[in-house]
Amino acid sequence: MERIEDDDDGVIDSGMMSCPSGHATGTSATLLYLALSLQGKLRPWVSGDGDGALYHLLIIISPIVMAVYMAATRLTEFRHFFSDLIAGWVIGIFLAVSVYCLY
């Protein structure tokens, strides 16, 4: 195991910037809020609104898929650990649901 000396401030600072993932927090908050808003406008669960419920569901799910893809790229590029992404997602989901409920 490598020993970190006192003059290696850059290594110490970069190690403390890992959790939670800001990319996961930002994308999950933004895109989950978008998905919730689309769900409220398109209303695929209400019967009698016409055809196209499957298309509405695909439109609603697509922002969530993009957010998962962004988090997956952070993991595959070794920028974050899985726990960092989960922490970012939890914060983002909390923010998105809170703002959607307040709005």
Side-chain angles (χ1 to χ4, degrees), residues 13 38 89:
D13 289 341
L38 288 171
W89 263 86

Side-chain angles (χ1 to χ4, degrees), residues 2-91:
E2 183 180 344
R3 182 174 171 85
I4 298 175
E5 300 296 328
D6 288 337
D7 58 348
D8 292 339
D9 290 335
V11 174
I12 295 171
D13 289 341
S14 67
M16 289 191 280
M17 294 170 45
S18 177
C19 187
S21 171
H23 287 88
T25 302
T27 57
S28 66
T30 304
L31 294 175
L32 182 62
Y33 178 79
L34 177 62
L36 289 170
S37 297
L38 288 171
Q39 185 271 332
K41 297 291 182 187
L42 296 177
R43 299 171 17 162
W45 315 114
V46 177
S47 62
D49 274 351
D51 296 333
L54 178 63
Y55 295 118
H56 290 171
L57 286 175
L58 291 175
I59 290 170
I60 292 167
I61 291 173
S62 62
I64 297 170
V65 170
M66 289 189 298
V68 169
Y69 175 73
M70 173 62 80
T73 59
R74 303 308 292 172
L75 187 64
T76 58
E77 291 178 1
F78 302 108
R79 298 291 182 190
H80 292 284
F81 296 110
F82 188 71
S83 59
D84 302 339
L85 299 176
I86 295 297
W89 263 86
V90 167
I91 294 169

